[in-house]
Amino acid sequence: MNLYQEHILDHYHNPKNWGQLEGVTHQSDVKNPTCGDTLHFELLVREDVVEKIAWTGEGCAISLASASLLSETVAGKTKSELLKRTPEEVLKLLELTLSPGRLKCGILSLEALHTALHNPKH
Amino acid sequence: MSTDFPLLKNHPDLVYLDSAATALKPYSVLEAEQNYGTHFGTNAARGLYPLAEQTSEHIETTRTLVAEFLRAHPEEIIFTHGTTDGINILARSLEASLTDTQGEIVVSIDAHHSQILPWQELANRKDWDVRIAPVEPSGSIDAKALLALVNENTKVVALTLVSNVYGVVHDIASLVRAIRIKNADVFIVLDAAQAVAHIPVDVTALGVDALVFSGHKLYGPTGVGICYLTSAWQAKLHPGQFGGGMVVDTSTTPATWKTGPEKFEAGTLPLAQIFGLKKSIEYIQTLGFPHIKNHEQELLTYGIHALLTAFGKKITFLGTTDPEKKIGLLSFTLAGVHPHDIASFLGEKNICVRAGEHCASFLHRELHIPASTRISFGIYTNKSDIDIFVTALKEIYTTLQK
């Protein structure tokens, strides 16, 4: 399957919600040890609802496009809704079938989101 | 030459540039493995009936051939299941034999995990220290820095003849002489996994105590390897693994071990694979190392030129680009494109390259890069493989560069 389709490349070149937030309440730093991809997620959570998300990262096109696509589906959702998100749902956003070797690239964004939700800033 | 390799016949569009991971196997090797099952099929060194004796004879003939290949004596050749297995056997044997409460192990940073982790684990179990020796940016061993780490307390020096990331051939013989001046008793073990298919290896000239390699990087089968271990160290070391075929007397405690390689060969050997290994060495001998070297130098010169023409300063090679100093292997990074994207994109076009840390994470951390891309050549690689690779690499670069 061709991984480098237009929507993937578009999110890779022009990532949505890229950058930093004011008044971050939750954040995470995750790494894919096998290829060195890193993602930094920042959330603004009020009364259990994620109001805003921003992220930065370094890595392959798949992991960055995945973070961009996922970030578009987060605002307005409750923490518990987002914690129920599955890897399959993230892969659906990517519209890709990933080989076992690339799966971690595709779902690193979900790990970043879940880690952030469990990691309130004090 | 590619007609010798059935995989290339079955995948005519495949561009295989990952021979450092595993080399493809010629017909003769695959037929020999099958021949074991169809014409011999018996265990070695156990049976007293003719067919079992014939299997044993074939195994011993192969041992002699391996010894000739390495300029060693047959009794110094131990069959293993691969490089990793060989190093683990040595580490366990040394653990059982050396009782020193204090000790140090020196490893070079360009080593594969298989030549670092078993030693790190041994050091942990013994409460010894591990010293990691640097390499120069060219990929050559920093002999001065390594020697500075060797002292009278050093028990093991674990070296690599050719790194699987740099492909640079180290001057091990001089280094070994210098190490022995500082510590005459140290055990020096050499990982030759990336070397044996590319350059002649002479254990006597190298002067090491042990040397390991795998069959499958030598156009041979997976699941078989060789551990050369000098007779002096064989006598000194307690076995590191235990089972059938290695014992002469079990009424004593501990049991009385056989002498020679069998002391370290617990259990049934990978017989079919040893049949295949014999053919792989004969295949290499028929090709001849001068021919192999010429072939690889030509591909390296061609590949480096093509990559520099296409990418200029955007491409960074790891280590020297002097073909004279290398085997047929090139690792690089390309600005703005992640190695995994390169390997995936090329993979979609049937071009096999490797991306990642290549089981050399210590080196990649030192270089401050998360990953690199590696291409590596076999005797079946040709210039058109490199042309197809460079064209596809240009395509992914144009697509992903920021």
Side-chain angles (χ1 to χ4, degrees), chain A residues 1-4 9 12-13 15 33-37 59-62 64 102 105, chain B residues 336-338 340-345 348 356-357 370-371 396 398-402:
Chain A
M1 151 168 229
N2 177 15
L3 296 183
Y4 301 93
L9 294 174
Y12 170 71
H13 285 298
T34 56
C35 57
D37 288 358
C60 67
I62 305 302
L64 298 181
R102 296 305 298 275
C105 307
Chain B
V337 188
H338 194 284
H340 277 198
D341 286 326
I342 292 175
S344 279
F345 182 81
E348 287 170 4
E357 296 175 334
I396 185 69
T398 313
T399 310
L400 291 187
Q401 67 159 319
K402 293 207 170 184

Side-chain angles (χ1 to χ4, degrees), chain A residues 47-100:
Chain A
E47 291 173 0
D48 253 21
V49 174
V50 176
E51 288 192 350
K52 284 185 184 170
I53 180 169
W55 66 279
T56 53
E58 267 186 78
C60 67
I62 305 302
S63 66
L64 298 181
S66 165
S68 174
L69 280 156
L70 180 65
S71 75
E72 287 189 310
T73 69
V74 167
K77 301 285 193 304
T78 65
K79 276 171 73 175
S80 58
E81 268 179 280
L82 293 171
L83 284 169
K84 280 184 210 143
R85 286 274 176 89
T86 62
E88 291 71 30
E89 288 172 288
V90 177
L91 295 177
K92 221 168 168 180
L93 291 172
L94 282 166
E95 298 172 49
L96 294 177
T97 309
L98 293 177
S99 64

Side-chain angles (χ1 to χ4, degrees), chain A residues 43-44 46 68 79 102 105 113 118:
Chain A
L43 305 176
L44 178 60
R46 275 211 191 108
S68 174
K79 276 171 73 175
R102 296 305 298 275
C105 307
L113 176 64
H118 286 301

Side-chain angles (χ1 to χ4, degrees), chain B residues 327-338:
Chain B
I327 62 156
L329 180 163
L330 273 177
S331 297
F332 64 88
T333 57
L334 193 54
V337 188
H338 194 284

Side-chain angles (χ1 to χ4, degrees), chain B residues 115-160:
Chain B
Q115 177 72 322
I116 299 183
L117 299 180
W119 302 117
Q120 211 172 44
E121 286 300 306
L122 172 63
N124 284 344
R125 295 192 297 268
K126 289 276 193 191
D127 206 17
W128 290 354
D129 292 318
V130 174
R131 308 260 184 257
I132 297 187
V135 294
E136 292 168 1
S138 66
S140 293
I141 281 188
D142 185 340
K144 211 172 146 191
L146 187 139
L147 286 169
L149 298 176
V150 176
N151 55 51
E152 69 277 5
N153 202 25
T154 308
K155 303 298 170 201
V156 179
V157 179
L159 301 172
T160 300

